[in-house]
């Protein structure tokens, strides 16, 4: 195997110092003149190494100040398995609020953006709808401690409104949660859900919202949660986007009842 270029080896060593705290958030990376001596490398090689760290979103360089280690968000732990009391998990509903509060943090969400449009591709497939059937989408930007944390869009068949769930069209929060509201309005009870998790580069809107490196070096997790009723019929699809630099996923498995 060919040896990696020197700038990558230097960048890896500096990255390890950042991750272990030897170079703490807000501290200055040693100047080029010192790094050239420490690593017996040219200035161009050092600049390539620093550029690599910048692409990873680990440092920022400002004229006259030097290169500073960026303060990273404290990761939020999202439990994908259902909460025993609410039945919810994975960063939604009452379980999401409870998890944020349990970690002594503050959750906030923007006003919902509500739209009606045609179901395409995965949306139609997950909800068991014909292609181009109409769906309602409710989209929110969510924050923890005023830091942009996730983007969440839930989709519902549009005929839920005609059947009595008219508040789905309101651009206001449904305080009790849409799952409980739909159960009360339509008698549809959530009995199960399936999560599918993908990883991809962020799009331009996600780069702007999460303030991520524009080159896609920090990916996003995208979860597809399909909720089903007591007859195993899908009635809601929630698509959530989480920046990988500030989220961790937990799965709790209880083996006590297994043979």
């Amino acid at each position: 195997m060919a040896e990696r270029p020197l700038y990558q080896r230097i960048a890896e060593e500096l990255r390890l110092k950042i991750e272990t705290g030897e170079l703490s958030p807000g501290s200055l990376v040693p100047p080029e003149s010192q790094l050239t001596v420490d690593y017996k490398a040219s200035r161009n090689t050092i600049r390539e190494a620093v550029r690599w760290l910048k692409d990873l979103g680990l440092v920022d360089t400002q004229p006259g100040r030097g290169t500073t280690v960026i303060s990273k968000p404290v990761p939020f732990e999202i439990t994908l398995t259902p909460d025993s009391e609410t039945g919810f998990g994975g960063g939604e509903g009452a379980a999401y609020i409870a998890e944020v509060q349990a970690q002594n943090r503050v959750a906030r969400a923007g006003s919902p953006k509500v739209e009606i449009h045609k179901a395409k591709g995965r949306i139609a497939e997950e909800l068991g709808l014909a292609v181009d059937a109409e769906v309602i989408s409710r989209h929110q930007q969510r924050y923890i401690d005023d830091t942009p944390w996730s983007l969440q869009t839930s989709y519902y068949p549009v005929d839920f409104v005609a059947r009595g769930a008219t508040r789905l069209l309101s651009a206001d929060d449904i305080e009790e949660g849409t799952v409980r509201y739909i159960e009360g309005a339509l008698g549809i009870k959530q009995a199960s859900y399936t999560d599918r998790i993908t990883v991809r580069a962020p799009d331009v809107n996600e780069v702007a919202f999460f303030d991520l490196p524009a080159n896609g070096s920090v990916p996003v997790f995208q979860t597809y949660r399909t909720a089903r009723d007591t007859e195993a019929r899908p009635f809601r699809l929630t698509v959530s986007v989480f920046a990988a630099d500030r989220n961790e996923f937990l799965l709790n498995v209880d083996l006590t009842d297994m043979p």
Side-chain angles (χ1 to χ4, degrees), residues 76 96 100 105-108 142-149:
F76 174 60
Y96 166 70
V100 174
R105 306 177 77 169
V106 179
R108 177 174 66 85
R142 302 194 303 173
Y143 303 79
I144 298 178
D145 300 333
D146 290 327
T147 297
W149 223 266

Side-chain angles (χ1 to χ4, degrees), residues 172-199:
D172 292 317
D173 259 329
I174 298 175
E175 292 184 4
E176 68 271 35
T178 53
V179 172
R180 295 199 187 284
Y181 168 64
I182 288 172
E183 182 178 353
L186 305 179
I188 297 174
K189 180 179 176 60
Q190 176 172 292
S192 65
Y193 61 75
T194 301
D195 280 336
R196 292 177 175 82
I197 304 174
T198 61
V199 180

Side-chain angles (χ1 to χ4, degrees), residues 132-206:
D132 289 338
E134 289 189 328
V135 292
I136 300 166
S137 68
R138 294 178 61 86
H139 173 79
Q140 283 187 291
Q141 299 176 334
R142 302 194 303 173
Y143 303 79
I144 298 178
D145 300 333
D146 290 327
T147 297
W149 223 266
S150 64
L151 296 166
Q152 191 168 89
T153 307
S154 291
Y155 300 89
Y156 308 88
V158 77
D159 68 355
F160 280 12
V161 173
R163 292 166 57 185
T166 56
R167 288 170 61 196
L168 289 177
L169 289 177
S170 172
D172 292 317
D173 259 329
I174 298 175
E175 292 184 4
E176 68 271 35
T178 53
V179 172
R180 295 199 187 284
Y181 168 64
I182 288 172
E183 182 178 353
L186 305 179
I188 297 174
K189 180 179 176 60
Q190 176 172 292
S192 65
Y193 61 75
T194 301
D195 280 336
R196 292 177 175 82
I197 304 174
T198 61
V199 180
R200 59 172 174 78
D203 63 28
V204 291
N205 294 323
E206 293 157 355

Side-chain angles (χ1 to χ4, degrees), residues 20 185 217:
T20 59
S217 58

Side-chain angles (χ1 to χ4, degrees), residues 16-75:
L16 183 61
K17 290 182 178 181
I18 292 171
E19 291 182 350
T20 59
E22 184 176 342
L23 288 172
S24 59
S27 66
L28 290 172
V29 174
E32 283 184 7
S33 57
Q34 180 179 333
L35 292 175
T36 57
V37 174
D38 291 346
Y39 292 102
K40 299 180 175 58
S42 69
R43 283 185 177 271
N44 284 339
T45 297
I46 296 301
R47 287 168 185 166
E48 284 293 322
V50 171
R51 186 177 299 114
W52 193 81
L53 294 173
K54 288 177 65 177
D55 288 344
L56 291 177
L58 297 175
V59 301
D60 181 49
T61 300
Q62 296 180 347
R65 174 168 172 75
T67 300
T68 306
V69 178
I70 293 175
S71 298
K72 306 299 288 184
V74 178

